[in-house]
Amino acid sequence: MHKFIQTLFGLFLFTFPFSIRFLAYEDAAYRFGKFNPWVAEFVYVPELLLLVAFLLWLYDKKKNKVKVDIGHNYLWIILGLFALNAVLVTGLFGDITLAGFFVLRLFELVAFYMLITNKVLEEKLMVKLLLVGALFQVFLAFIQVEINGSIGLGLLGESAIGPEVPGVAKIDLETGKQVRGYGLLPHPNILAGYLLTVFFIALSYLKYSNKLFWLAVVILGLFLAGSDAAYVVGGLTLLLAIVFKAIKSVQVKKSFSLFLLVLLALVNTWLFASSHLLSSEDASLQERLDQNVIAQEIVVDHPFGVGIRNYTLEIENYADKKLAPWEFQPVHNSYFLMLAELGIQGFILFLAAITLLIYTYWHRGTDIPILMLLFLAPFDHFLVDSFVGMMLIALVLGFFRLKNGS
């Protein structure tokens, strides 16, 4: 039984970025004339591996009367309140079925976290599987960029991409349109976030020569994905890793980390309040500023939240122009999206969980992967509204707990 559980979990570690999925629920997905994935739900084949592995693991523990390490009780209380708030808000203002899927994702996040922290597989083996998975995704992304289209791995979850395919992330070059690398993930930005997460988790387990090799792999992957946010966050996090390596005092590391978190909070607060005063000649940046303004207006009108996945159904009431179908997408800031959908009370519960986690487990003064994830959150929404994003959160929190102990 134990070997079988380990095999399932190992397969999940390698395959969780694969977008092998089937549509499980959609009610308002075609409301604007084009399929809107943000108000639909999918079931992913890798998540079935996770659920089976976790349930068998729980059964095995109970059968053998082995105690399960669940961590700090207060964290579970806050998480429970967070899930309850999501259900209540969505039940009142949105689609309760979508709230149910969100709670399922939270359960899967917890399952992944517990399998990591209870060391179903040894730490170094988990890291090796994650690195091999990342290398595989970079290899696929390289081929996609080289042939400027899909490889033909639809059965493994590859998106149908090409230079003329609508809705595909691409770069405009003088020679024509060039697709960005997807690997088997739903979007290049998610590929970039996945690569950064795996690299910074693995960093403390690698020897110097291996660090250089995997850094080169990740840089290549980020280049293929073409994510500007990943360049910024990856470069900043790597610089922080070097600085923290040179600092010996744990207290200084803690103080510096706290300063960075406060600065992050202040910048996001200012951006949330001031985006309507800013403008940019860059179309992509201006689009994100416009999204921030809409998020702010939604929060002002709906301080208790609009409900899970209800954001894209609300934005047409706040846009100052008629939106094209592809413009119905979440605000590209995970904090703002959480605030708009789960309300001020939900966001406070999120902040309480982060604060308690840091207060309880941050013994070494710093943890690079968790800082990286917190820095990445203001640049996109996939961390809180996609299966892979929530698994990345579980991955970071699980290794954070392993390295810092109880």
Side-chain angles (χ1 to χ4, degrees):
M1 173 76 81
H2 185 62
K3 288 290 184 181
F4 182 60
I5 295 169
Q6 287 182 316
T7 300
L8 288 177
F9 186 49
L11 283 172
F12 174 73
L13 284 169
F14 179 77
T15 64
F16 80 86
F18 291 29
S19 300
I20 313 172
R21 63 185 185 175
F22 58 87
L23 184 64
Y25 178 78
E26 65 89 7
D27 183 45
Y30 290 96
R31 177 170 152 182
F32 305 110
K34 180 182 178 183
F35 182 73
N36 180 355
W38 315 117
V39 290
E41 280 294 351
F42 300 85
V43 171
Y44 294 80
V45 172
E47 75 179 302
L48 300 179
L49 288 174
L50 173 65
L51 290 171
V52 172
F54 180 68
L55 293 175
L56 287 177
W57 174 75
L58 281 181
Y59 171 76
D60 188 54
K61 289 292 184 182
K62 183 178 181 181
K63 179 181 176 182
N64 294 292
K65 298 180 180 179
V66 178
K67 184 178 180 181
V68 174
D69 180 11
I70 64 171
H72 202 296
N73 289 334
Y74 288 123
L75 278 173
W76 300 115
I77 293 173
I78 293 174
L79 183 63
L81 292 173
F82 184 77
L84 178 61
N85 174 73
V87 171
L88 291 176
V89 172
T90 310
L92 288 171
F93 305 112
D95 186 334
I96 192 65
T97 304
L98 296 177
F101 274 95
F102 180 73
V103 172
L104 173 63
R105 296 287 183 258
L106 286 178
F107 176 79
E108 291 166 348
L109 186 156
V110 170
F112 193 12
Y113 170 85
M114 290 184 67
L115 291 175
I116 293 170
T117 56
N118 283 271
K119 298 184 180 180
V120 171
L121 289 175
E122 192 267 334
E123 287 178 59
K124 290 185 178 179
L125 178 56
M126 287 191 283
V127 169
K128 287 180 181 178
L129 288 169
L130 290 169
L131 288 172
V132 171
L135 182 61
F136 181 61
Q137 297 296 334
V138 172
F139 173 70
L140 295 181
F142 178 79
I143 298 176
Q144 289 168 343
V145 171
E146 280 295 303
I147 67 175
N148 204 21
S150 300
I151 302 171
L153 299 177
L155 290 177
L156 295 181
E158 183 188 23
S159 299
I161 60 176
E164 304 304 326
V165 178
V168 169
K170 54 185 81 79
I171 301 171
D172 290 323
L173 303 176
E174 291 183 1
T175 54
K177 294 183 182 294
Q178 171 65 57
V179 301
R180 294 161 57 186
Y182 276 63
L184 298 178
L185 289 107
H187 194 277
N189 291 348
I190 306 180
L191 170 62
Y194 163 72
L195 294 176
L196 288 178
T197 302
V198 170
F199 174 72
F200 285 113
I201 283 175
L203 197 58
S204 61
Y205 296 91
L206 297 173
K207 295 181 180 179
Y208 181 75
S209 57
N210 289 337
K211 288 179 181 178
L212 294 179
F213 170 76
W214 287 108
L215 176 61
V217 169
V218 170
I219 290 175
L220 173 61
L222 296 184
F223 172 76
L224 296 170
S227 171
D228 293 336
Y231 296 149
V232 174
V233 173
L236 175 61
T237 308
L238 185 61
L239 178 61
L240 286 176
I242 296 170
V243 170
F244 280 127
K245 185 73 173 177
I247 298 174
K248 303 301 180 184
S249 169
V250 172
Q251 190 56 48
V252 172
K253 290 180 180 180
K254 284 185 176 181
S255 298
F256 190 34
S257 299
L258 180 61
F259 167 75
L260 291 174
L261 292 177
V262 171
L263 182 62
L264 177 66
L266 291 175
V267 169
N268 274 279
T269 301
W270 173 80
L271 194 60
F272 186 73
S274 306
S275 287
H276 66 288
L277 301 175
L278 305 175
S279 62
S280 173
E281 294 182 358
D282 183 272
S284 178
L285 182 55
Q286 184 59 51
E287 181 181 351
R288 296 196 175 206
L289 291 173
D290 293 339
Q291 291 174 347
N292 293 346
V293 173
I294 291 175
Q296 181 200 48
E297 293 173 349
I298 289 177
V299 171
V300 170
D301 288 348
H302 305 275
F304 298 111
V306 295
I308 292 295
R309 300 303 187 100
N310 217 38
Y311 182 89
T312 57
L313 301 181
E314 288 285 338
I315 58 177
E316 65 175 340
N317 299 321
Y318 295 89
D320 56 4
K321 62 176 182 177
K322 182 175 176 58
L323 297 174
W326 59 84
E327 292 180 301
F328 287 90
Q329 57 181 306
V331 57
H332 280 57
N333 185 308
S334 293
Y335 302 126
F336 297 172
L337 180 60
M338 194 183 309
L339 187 58
E341 291 194 337
L342 296 178
I344 295 171
Q345 73 287 351
F347 193 67
I348 289 174
L349 287 169
F350 164 77
L351 294 178
I354 292 295
T355 302
L356 181 59
L357 188 76
I358 292 172
Y359 178 78
T360 305
Y361 297 124
W362 213 324
H363 301 314
R364 295 187 180 182
T366 183
D367 189 85
I368 291 300
I370 204 168
L371 287 175
M372 184 279 298
L373 217 56
L374 291 171
F375 292 153
L376 186 62
F379 291 95
D380 216 313
H381 52 82
F382 69 83
L383 287 174
V384 295
D385 67 357
S386 74
F387 169 69
V388 174
M390 296 185 77
M391 294 306 100
L392 293 180
I393 293 174
L395 195 60
V396 167
L397 295 183
F399 275 88
F400 174 73
R401 172 77 189 284
L402 284 180
K403 286 191 288 183
N404 286 274
S406 56

